[in-house]
Amino acid sequence: MANGRDKKDEIINLQLDLIRKMTENNIKRLSDDIWGSTRTNANPPQKPQTSAKTGTPAAPQNPAPVKPAQPSDADLIKASGSGDGAKPAEPEETLPEKENIDDLRKELDSYIGLDEVKKEVKSLINMATVYKMRRDNNLPTADVSLHMVFSGNPGTGKTMIARFMARVYHSLGILSKGQLVEVDRSGLVAGYIGQTAIKTAKVLEGAIGGVLFIDEAYTLTAKTENDFGFEAVDTILKSMEDNRDDLVVIVAGYIDLMEDFIDSNPGLRSRFNKYIRFDDYSADEMMGIFDLQCKKSCYMPDDEAKAALKEYFTAVSEAAGEFGNARGVRNTFERLLTEQANRVAGMTDISRDDLMTITKADVDAALYPKEETEE
């Protein structure tokens, strides 16, 4: 009996550890961007200092800045996070590598859904490619604005495409660095007169050479107790003019609210002339995203579980914006892992297939929990 209990405890711990890690990653994605950020040393390691007491290497007080990991195929399902303030790139940060533009086109085609977005992005790639070729051949080039407005519900891939465009423009030599700096109102606006311009300028400094992505940009011009958001807008517009050859700004948010934002300042309307609308995911696309999550994490829904999930995604797709689109799918997947772990932990003679299989019972428990009622 003791061995059986030890085995069950081990399985429970392994499953719960996996769920914990996935949840932590999910939370990080909401404030980072959809690709995540695996940090490695950008510079060769220096000789470590040792602790006087233990003789062991001491933790560095100023760790070296790092380079974000390149996305894998499985990352393509991830959608935008909400952002939680500025994340400017540091001057010493190792910059992204230039990539083959044909490989980037193939990656774009592999994304789930986003059909209209792909068409618009392909046109932007073609325009930028020809612009670069004319410049390389000493031909005159039109003063083309690369700034964009992304509009759509949460979880539709806006941050993902913003990072993708940074990689494209960098690979074509239009942007010198190719980093993405994601920010929202809290990262730009300060609470006192005169501080907002300084705070915004610091963010812009880190974005030069890449893309500044402003999520929920309409909050900058919303009527609040103060109008410091307008000061941030003015600072951004000036930087866009001063750094027109090495800075792209993408503003994002809900469709109607973004129209109001652009109309709030004549300078915004003149500089943002490219609009990309991100539609909600369909039930089939949500199911495709879920299947890709399962494949990445080595889970296999059985036929009954797939049918139940398809029915569920069909229902929630009627209000995909409230559900959260791809983000909602990810949250659904993680709830299923919790219920699958609860079920498997109570089994005996647990096989490898048991650890991988998601059943209809797991789906029902995760999505339709029974309410406890008193007789």
Side-chain angles (χ1 to χ4, degrees):
M1 288 294 294
N3 290 337
R5 169 56 64 182
D6 290 344
K7 185 175 182 181
K8 288 183 181 180
D9 289 344
E10 181 181 359
I11 292 169
I12 292 172
N13 290 334
L14 288 173
Q15 292 281 54
L16 292 179
D17 185 58
L18 172 62
I19 294 167
R20 178 185 59 78
K21 289 179 179 178
M22 294 189 68
T23 302
E24 288 175 353
N25 289 335
N26 185 29
I27 293 172
K28 183 179 179 182
R29 284 193 296 265
L30 298 181
S31 60
D32 230 338
D33 57 73
I34 62 166
W35 301 118
S37 178
T38 302
R39 295 197 169 269
T40 56
N41 286 335
N43 302 312
Q46 303 296 319
K47 182 178 179 180
Q49 297 179 349
T50 57
S51 168
K53 293 182 178 180
T54 64
T56 57
Q61 294 182 351
N62 297 300
V66 294
K67 173 183 176 181
Q70 292 296 323
S72 65
D73 290 341
D75 286 321
L76 304 182
I77 62 169
K78 298 178 183 176
S80 64
S82 59
D84 63 347
K87 292 178 282 296
E90 298 180 7
E92 300 85 1
E93 184 174 359
T94 301
L95 301 176
E97 298 287 341
K98 289 188 176 182
E99 302 170 68
N100 183 283
I101 198 66
D102 290 331
D103 291 339
L104 289 171
R105 292 178 192 270
K106 292 177 182 177
E107 179 181 321
L108 178 65
D109 287 334
S110 72
Y111 291 171
I112 294 175
L114 303 175
D115 292 340
E116 292 303 315
V117 173
K118 290 175 184 177
K119 292 179 183 178
E120 295 293 336
V121 171
K122 287 177 181 178
S123 294
L124 287 172
I125 293 175
N126 292 337
M127 183 191 69
T129 301
V130 172
Y131 174 89
K132 174 67 163 50
M133 292 172 66
R134 287 182 61 87
R135 192 171 65 181
D136 291 346
N137 284 275
N138 296 318
L139 292 171
T141 56
D143 188 11
V144 177
S145 173
L146 299 176
H147 310 298
M148 290 171 276
V149 178
F150 287 0
S151 60
N153 286 322
T156 49
K158 296 186 291 294
T159 308
M160 177 176 68
I161 296 300
R163 179 174 289 279
F164 181 82
M165 293 310 303
R167 294 162 60 201
V168 168
Y169 291 148
H170 177 52
S171 297
L172 291 173
I174 293 173
L175 292 175
S176 62
K177 298 178 181 178
Q179 79 279 22
L180 178 81
V181 175
E182 181 187 352
V183 71
D184 61 11
R185 178 185 170 91
S186 67
L188 298 170
V189 178
Y192 300 96
I193 295 175
Q195 291 184 338
T196 292
I198 297 172
K199 189 174 184 179
T200 302
K202 181 66 175 178
V203 174
L204 287 161
E205 180 183 353
I208 293 174
V211 171
L212 174 64
F213 179 77
I214 307 175
D215 197 18
E216 298 180 345
Y218 51 82
T219 60
L220 293 174
T221 54
K223 296 298 181 181
T224 58
E225 294 180 359
N226 60 63
D227 289 333
F228 297 150
F230 289 94
E231 184 179 357
V233 171
D234 291 338
T235 305
I236 292 167
L237 289 173
K238 183 178 186 304
S239 183
M240 291 168 67
E241 180 66 25
D242 294 344
N243 302 284
R244 63 172 66 186
D245 295 328
D246 205 18
L247 174 66
V248 170
V249 177
I250 299 176
V251 292
Y254 292 103
I255 295 170
D256 294 339
L257 294 175
M258 289 308 297
E259 285 292 333
D260 295 339
F261 170 71
I262 295 299
D263 288 337
S264 68
N265 186 311
L268 292 172
R269 177 64 69 182
S270 65
R271 287 172 175 81
F272 290 95
N273 58 8
K274 293 180 176 61
Y275 294 77
I276 298 182
R277 176 168 174 163
F278 289 70
D279 292 328
D280 291 328
Y281 284 102
S282 67
D284 287 338
E285 289 165 349
M286 289 184 188
M287 194 68 204
I289 292 170
F290 183 87
D291 288 340
L292 193 54
Q293 283 276 32
C294 288
K295 181 179 179 181
K296 178 184 70 173
S297 302
C298 294
Y299 282 91
M300 299 183 304
D302 61 24
D303 290 341
E304 289 186 345
K306 287 183 179 180
L309 283 164
K310 181 61 181 297
E311 181 179 354
Y312 175 74
F313 289 135
T314 299
V316 298
S317 66
E318 298 296 324
E322 296 177 11
F323 175 68
N325 286 289
R327 190 184 305 166
V329 175
R330 186 171 62 236
N331 292 337
T332 298
F333 176 72
E334 292 176 2
R335 290 202 302 271
L336 280 170
L337 295 195
T338 300
E339 296 304 331
Q340 193 256 17
N342 290 337
R343 176 179 58 81
V344 170
M347 298 171 58
T348 57
D349 299 325
I350 300 169
S351 67
R352 189 172 187 271
D353 285 345
D354 291 329
L355 294 171
M356 297 171 63
T357 302
I358 294 175
T359 68
K360 185 176 183 299
D362 301 328
V363 175
D364 291 341
L367 305 182
Y368 313 106
K370 295 180 180 179
E371 296 183 1
E372 296 182 3
T373 58
E374 295 182 2
E375 296 296 338

